[in-house]
Each structure stands twice: as C-alpha cells, then as structure tokens.
C-alpha cells in the first residue's frame, strides 16, 4: 500500500470512536425507524427515488448515510478502508434494522472486491474525494462499478472551499491551498477532528488532495459518464471554516460574512453511457 494510505488510515481509525459517540453523527437517533442522516435529507430533492436500486456507498465511514439510503429502499453496500469504521457501521445497521453489506477495502480495490458493473447507483462525498490522489483513477473505479445506465451521485466540499485558507485575516477569503490536484498531495497536521471531542489523538498527520471542478468533470466524461446535474451550494455539512461559519440548521454551515462570495459545496450527478 502507498504511504498515504497507511498515514490516512491511522488517522481515520483513531477518530472513529469519537465520531460514533458524537451528537453530530447522531447514531442513537437511528433508533427512530424514520430517522435519516442530515446529509441524505439534504440530498433527497436531487437524489430522486432510490427504492429498489442496487447502490454502493464509497468511503461510507460509520454508515450513517449508507443506512439512511437503505431506509429509502436502496439495496446498499458500504465500502471503507477503516476496519473500526466498518465495525461501527455494521453495528449501526443491526441497531437500525437495515440490511446493508459493509466491506473493508481501499477505494482503488473496490472493483476487485465488489461485482463490476453491478450497481445502479454509486453514492459518495462529504469529505471523500480529498483522500484520493487521482480523480482520473477514481472516475475509473466509479465507471467500473456502475452498470451501463447507472448513476453516480456525489455531494462534496467545493474545491474552492478546500483551497481557502483556514484563517481569514480581516474576513477576506484567501486561497492558500492547491485548487488543482497536485502530485504527492498536501500534508496536514491537525490535532482534533471535525466533531467536538475531548479525545487527544496520537495520529494527526494526513495527506490530502484537492481536485478542480473541471478535473472532476473531465475525468468522468473520459470514463464514459455523462453529466446530468451540477449544482453549487452556499452551505456545507460541516463547520469548514471554524469561527467564520454559522450553523444554519439541518446540519448545514454557511459563511457568516457575505456567503455569496464562496461556493461551499456542490452536487454532481452523472450517468454511465450504455
Ligand atoms: C469524512 S468520511 C466521508 C464519509 C461520510 N461523508 C461521512 O462523513 O460519514 C471519509 C471516509 O473516507 C475513508 N477513506 C479515506 N481514504 C480512503 C481510501 N483510500 N479508501 C477507502 N476509504 C478511505 C475514511 O476511512 C473515512 O471513513
């Protein structure tokens, strides 16, 4: 496995218990059989009817969105490279009474461990693409998993947001990180995580990549997927610029000062050519 996989997996493995215990992920809320994650609730108007679809959720983390999609009637498989995340996801599915298959695997191994061209829906996003060093290879994985006519649905942090400096002097939006995909990625050292927790973590290094919107669209077109939706949003489902964003409800955050300056996130849908 390349170095970035081990570095990032150590970081993720260690954060799983804090995420599973956090009100932000709301695992206990799934005891209510009608509960859906905020992320899937946000997606619903664009997602359409998923009942009966064979779906795979790539980088499913602890399965809150995967189980939510199953509750909407999709036959879901979740894939993630973190064993603790998959363990929590399996327990959540049992607790929620959802029939979901969870598979522990690295993203680029997905076509080898899952059935190729067998899915009607590939669902992913909300902090998923930034862990992948090549959006071109990622699009190849998506294409290999989809049956002809099957659909990719992704809502993700906007590459302009990922490129924005974490500190905003004088409230100005400053581009400080790469917008385009760069070889080797960017190494970050971050003590905490994106949910509130008192846990002191030992593995704080990550290697991450941004991917420009054009790079994402081009990679999908090159791998035989046609774009059917590209919507940019003025909110994002986590506090991406702490101290500068307001919680606007339903799990969404928005820049406090002139949010119209910043594309916060986007939803993209694409269909694999027959
Ligand atoms: C922020 S979560 C995204 C999932 C979902 N949006 C959520 O918040 O629950 C990112 C997930 O990507 C997984 N991940 C990171 N790199 C991966 C890789 N190379 N292969 C498979 N999973 C990976 C991590 O284990 C983590 O569970």
């Amino acid at each position: 496995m390349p170095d970035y996989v081990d570095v990032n997996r150590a970081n993720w493995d260690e954060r799983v218990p804090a995420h599973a215990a956090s009100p932000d992920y709301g695992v206990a809320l799934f005891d209510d059989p009608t509960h859906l994650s905020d992320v899937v609730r946000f997606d619903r108007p664009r997602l359409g009817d998923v009942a009966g679809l064979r779906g795979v959720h790539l980088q499913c983390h602890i399965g809150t969105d995967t189980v939510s999609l199953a509750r909407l009637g999709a036959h879901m498989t979740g894939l993630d490279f973190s064993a603790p995340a998959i363990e929590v996801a399996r327990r959540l599915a049992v607790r929620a009474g959802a029939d979901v298959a969870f598979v522990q695997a690295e993203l680029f191994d997905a076509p080898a461990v899952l059935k190729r061209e067998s899915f009607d829906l590939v669902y992913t996003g909300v902090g998923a693409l930034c862990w992948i060093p090549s959006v071109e290879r990622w699009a190849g994985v998506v294409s290999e998993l989809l049956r002809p006519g099957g659909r990719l649905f992704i809502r993700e942090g906007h590459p302009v947001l990922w490129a924005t400096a974490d500190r905003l002097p004088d409230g100005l939006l400053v581009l400080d990180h790469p917008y385009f995909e760069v070889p080797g990625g960017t190494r970050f050292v971050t003590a905490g995580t994106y949910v509130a927790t008192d846990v002191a973590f030992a593995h704080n290094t990550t290697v991450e990549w941004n991917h420009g919107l054009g790079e994402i669209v081009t990679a999908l077109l090159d791998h035989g997927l046609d774009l059917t939706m590209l919507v940019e949003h003025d909110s994002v489902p986590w506090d991406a610029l702490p101290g500068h964003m307001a919680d606007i409800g339903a799990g969404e955050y928005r820049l406090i000062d002139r949010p119209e300056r910043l594309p916060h996130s986007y939803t993209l849908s694409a269909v694999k050519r027959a």
Side-chain angles (χ1 to χ4, degrees):
M1 278 293 167
D3 173 57
Y4 78 87
V5 172
D6 293 333
V7 169
N8 289 340
R9 189 165 29 208
N11 184 283
W12 277 108
D13 285 355
E14 202 186 16
R15 280 155 178 77
V16 164
H19 292 183
S22 150
D24 294 332
Y25 273 102
V27 164
L29 299 175
F30 283 87
D31 291 348
D32 170 357
T34 65
H35 177 74
L36 301 175
S37 68
D38 284 337
V39 167
V40 168
R41 263 181 212 285
F42 182 95
D43 288 341
R44 277 190 85 178
R46 286 161 290 277
L47 189 57
D49 185 7
V50 296
L53 297 186
R54 291 160 300 168
V56 60
H57 181 187
L58 298 178
Q59 297 171 251
C60 63
H61 198 40
I62 60 172
T64 48
D65 303 333
T66 332
V67 164
S68 299
L69 292 167
R71 283 189 164 174
L72 294 177
H75 305 293
M76 291 304 298
T77 298
L79 177 140
D80 200 285
F81 74 173
S82 164
I86 290 296
E87 239 175 73
V88 171
R90 285 188 179 132
R91 282 204 302 272
L92 172 64
V94 170
R95 181 174 181 165
D99 186 13
V100 179
F102 285 103
V103 177
Q104 186 208 340
E106 208 278 317
L107 184 278
F108 291 125
D109 292 334
V113 298
L114 302 171
K115 199 158 175 265
R116 283 185 166 82
E117 299 209 316
S118 67
F119 292 98
D120 304 304
L121 175 71
V122 170
Y123 177 95
T124 189
V126 187
L129 260 193
C130 58
W131 305 102
I132 304 305
S134 163
V135 76
E136 197 277 325
R137 283 185 68 201
W138 168 83
V141 168
V142 170
S143 182
E144 276 195 79
L145 293 173
L146 285 173
R147 66 158 174 85
R151 181 164 60 111
L152 164 71
F153 186 95
I154 175 169
R155 187 202 179 194
E156 188 52 279
H158 200 286
V160 172
L161 171 69
W162 294 119
T164 301
D166 311 297
R167 293 196 185 83
L168 307 181
D170 306 324
L172 295 176
L173 294 173
V174 177
L175 295 183
D176 193 33
H177 305 299
Y179 171 85
F180 295 111
E181 185 180 297
V182 294
T186 307
R187 208 164 266 262
F188 294 99
V189 180
T190 312
T193 179
Y194 50 84
V195 303
T197 178
D198 295 332
V199 180
F201 300 109
H203 298 100
N204 294 323
T205 302
T206 58
V207 187
E208 302 181 34
W209 286 266
N210 204 352
H211 314 280
L213 210 48
E215 290 176 326
I216 297 165
V217 170
T218 300
L220 291 168
L221 291 171
D222 286 350
H223 282 279
L225 281 91
D226 288 328
L227 215 65
T228 54
M229 180 190 296
L230 179 56
V231 183
E232 292 169 299
H233 307 288
D234 65 357
S235 68
V236 62
W238 73 93
D239 189 1
L241 297 169
H244 300 280
M245 288 195 153
D247 178 346
I248 59 167
E252 294 289 310
Y253 292 80
R254 181 179 292 146
L255 200 64
I256 296 164
D257 178 23
R258 292 166 290 154
E260 65 278 9
R261 290 180 292 163
L262 180 70
H264 292 53
S265 63
Y266 66 92
T267 299
L268 183 155
S269 195
V271 173
K272 182 170 167 179
R273 273 168 237 142

